[in-house]
């Protein structure tokens, strides 16, 4: 019995070493094959190909992982990976360092099961509002080191929840964005609550306020108590508005009081003018209604 246990332990240890050796050999083989491709290569489900890439590409339905590396793609056209309009089982797509500059609308249509998309280290200049249409199941999107300055303003439409409703992680690092946060009352509360209860922003402790001036360079995560002060400030602003309106009303009443005689004279003149006009109308009415007066007039 003891001998069997020793044999079992030896066999298990040997088997683990065997699996490790096989994995290491596969890694060397893949690295060697990728090295043979020089600058560009295509890898799908562990296999490496050096063939030329022509878009749109028809990805076989059985492939779940696809990597395109250093192809000069430039433009991702409509249905770039589903030329025939068929749905694929692709789960992970890496397009790192392919000089992609334009992503057209519906470029990823047909990849409805895609969970991870890597677009890092490209040169995106144009991102269509429907660029990520059809990626409802996407969880991870990597856009690090890939956005040109003019492209940043196009992202909000492309990254809307209508296109990426299940997105959990978005990497925008290395893009030198100018996205200062204004710690104003109408924005701070919900944003602070999201930062507090979410793990999606890895560097939340580094976020600082740029506005208003008295909160400049203050860490957003340190504003828990000051959030209530912000609300009080908002209430005080309404009180101040009420005081200003009251002062305007007082000034208006004072103007009326100081000019009461002139206003009374003006009202009397208007009343007399109206009375004279009504008497004229009354006289004409009586004259027109009495036939004797009409004959005399003739």
């Amino acid at each position: 019995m003891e001998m069997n246990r020793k044999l079992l332990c030896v066999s298990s240890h040997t088997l683990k070493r065997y699996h490790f050796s096989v994995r290491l050999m596969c890694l060397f083989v893949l690295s060697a094959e990728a090295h043979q491709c020089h600058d560009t290569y295509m890898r799908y489900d562990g296999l490496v190909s050096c063939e030329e890439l022509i878009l749109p590409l028809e990805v076989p339905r059985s492939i779940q992982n696809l990597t395109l590396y250093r192809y000069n793609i430039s433009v991702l056209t409509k249905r770039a990976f589903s030329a025939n309009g068929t749905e694929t089982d692709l789960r992970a797509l890496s397009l790192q360092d392919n000089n992609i500059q334009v992503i057209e609308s519906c470029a990823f249509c047909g990849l409805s099961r895609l969970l991870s998309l890597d677009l890092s280290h490209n040169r995106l200049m144009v991102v269509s509002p429907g660029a990520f249409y059809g990626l409802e199941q996407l969880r991870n999107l990597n856009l690090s080191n890939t956005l040109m300055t003019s492209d940043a303003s196009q992202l909000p439409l492309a990254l809307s929840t209508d296109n990426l409703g299940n997105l959990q992680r978005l990497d925008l690092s290395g893009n030198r964005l100018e996205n200062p946060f204004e710690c104003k009352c109408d924005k701070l509360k919900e944003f602070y609550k999201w930062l507090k209860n979410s793990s999606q922003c890895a560097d939340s402790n580094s976020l600082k306020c740029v506005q208003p001036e008295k909160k400049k360079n203050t860490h957003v995560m340190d504003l828990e108590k000051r959030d209530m002060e912000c609300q009080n400030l908002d209430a005080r602003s309404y009180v101040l508005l009420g005081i200003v309106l009251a002062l305007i009303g007082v000034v208006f009443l004072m103007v009326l009081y100081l000019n009461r005689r002139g206003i009374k004279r003006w009202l009397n003149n208007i009343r007399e003018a109206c009375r004279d006009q009504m008497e004229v109308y009354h006289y004409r009415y009586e004259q027109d209604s009495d036939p004797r007066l009409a004959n005399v007039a003739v």
Side-chain angles (χ1 to χ4, degrees):
M1 186 67 178
E2 187 67 25
M3 182 63 68
N4 291 334
R5 289 182 179 178
K6 290 182 178 180
L7 288 175
L8 183 60
C9 291
V10 172
S11 299
S12 177
H13 182 68
T14 305
L15 186 60
K16 289 180 179 179
R17 292 183 61 185
Y18 171 75
H19 283 305
F20 176 76
S21 300
V22 170
R23 289 178 183 174
L24 190 60
M25 290 177 62
C26 290
L27 181 61
F28 284 145
V29 170
L30 291 176
S31 301
E33 290 179 349
H35 181 71
Q36 292 176 359
C37 295
H38 302 290
D39 293 332
T40 64
Y41 65 86
M42 179 190 305
R43 178 183 297 163
Y44 48 93
D45 288 347
L47 301 177
V48 177
S49 173
C50 305
E51 64 185 37
E52 183 180 354
L53 177 68
I54 300 177
L55 292 180
L57 179 68
E58 184 60 33
V59 179
R61 187 177 179 83
S62 60
I63 293 180
Q64 294 191 352
N65 299 282
L66 176 63
T67 298
L68 304 179
Y69 184 68
R70 286 195 172 180
Y71 285 97
N72 191 19
I73 296 178
S74 184
V75 179
L76 285 180
T77 58
K78 181 179 180 180
R79 288 191 170 273
F81 305 95
S82 180
N84 295 332
T86 57
E87 293 290 322
T88 71
D89 286 332
L90 200 63
R91 304 303 170 90
L93 175 61
S94 176
L95 301 174
Q96 181 182 0
D97 199 6
N98 283 284
N99 194 33
I100 300 174
Q101 301 176 25
V102 178
I103 302 180
E104 296 183 352
S105 182
C106 204
F108 302 100
C109 285
L111 308 182
S112 59
R113 296 179 178 85
L114 194 67
L115 300 177
S116 178
L117 176 60
D118 187 351
L119 289 167
S120 61
H121 296 278
N122 284 288
R123 305 190 49 184
L124 284 179
M125 291 183 286
V126 178
V127 180
S128 170
F132 303 111
Y133 178 78
L135 297 179
E136 291 84 3
Q137 301 301 318
L138 193 68
R139 300 289 192 275
N140 301 307
L141 177 58
N142 188 349
L143 293 172
S144 61
N145 299 286
T146 194
L147 298 176
M148 298 292 101
T149 305
S150 60
D151 183 56
S153 60
Q154 304 174 22
L155 275 182
L157 290 177
L159 298 177
S160 67
T161 54
D162 294 337
N163 298 330
L164 301 170
N166 290 305
L167 190 65
Q168 297 179 357
R169 182 174 179 80
L170 173 63
D171 190 346
L172 291 171
S173 60
N175 288 301
R176 298 182 180 178
L177 297 178
E178 301 300 335
N179 55 345
F181 181 71
E182 298 181 355
C183 296
K184 294 183 178 179
C185 300
D186 57 341
K187 300 178 181 179
L188 180 59
K189 186 175 181 181
E190 293 299 325
F191 183 65
Y192 175 80
K193 186 186 298 183
W194 177 78
L195 284 178
K196 194 81 172 178
N197 301 316
S198 174
S199 60
Q200 299 182 32
C201 187
D203 56 349
S204 59
N205 292 325
S206 302
L207 295 178
K208 296 182 180 180
C209 300
V210 295
Q211 293 289 340
E213 189 65 27
K214 67 177 184 178
K215 289 187 174 68
K216 190 173 182 179
N217 294 326
T218 302
H219 290 279
V220 175
M221 297 301 292
D222 294 338
L223 291 174
E224 185 172 4
K225 294 182 179 179
R226 299 179 184 183
D227 184 23
M228 299 304 296
E229 294 178 3
C230 184
Q231 291 180 354
N232 293 333
L233 178 62
D234 189 49
R236 287 198 299 269
S237 65
Y238 283 109
V239 173
L240 181 61
L241 178 62
I243 294 174
V244 171
L245 293 176
L247 289 175
I248 293 175
V250 170
V251 171
F252 179 71
L253 292 176
M254 289 184 63
V255 170
L256 291 179
Y257 177 77
L258 294 175
N259 292 277
R260 62 187 183 282
R261 295 181 180 178
I263 294 173
K264 184 177 180 180
R265 191 182 307 112
W266 179 70
L267 291 175
N268 288 333
N269 292 336
I270 292 178
R271 184 178 61 182
E272 293 297 330
C274 291
R275 181 182 296 174
D276 294 341
Q277 190 67 30
M278 291 301 297
E279 288 180 355
V280 172
Y281 286 143
H282 182 68
Y283 173 76
R284 289 181 179 177
Y285 174 77
E286 289 181 346
Q287 189 176 40
D288 293 340
S289 61
D290 192 343
R292 293 175 299 174
L293 295 176
N295 294 331
V296 172
V298 173

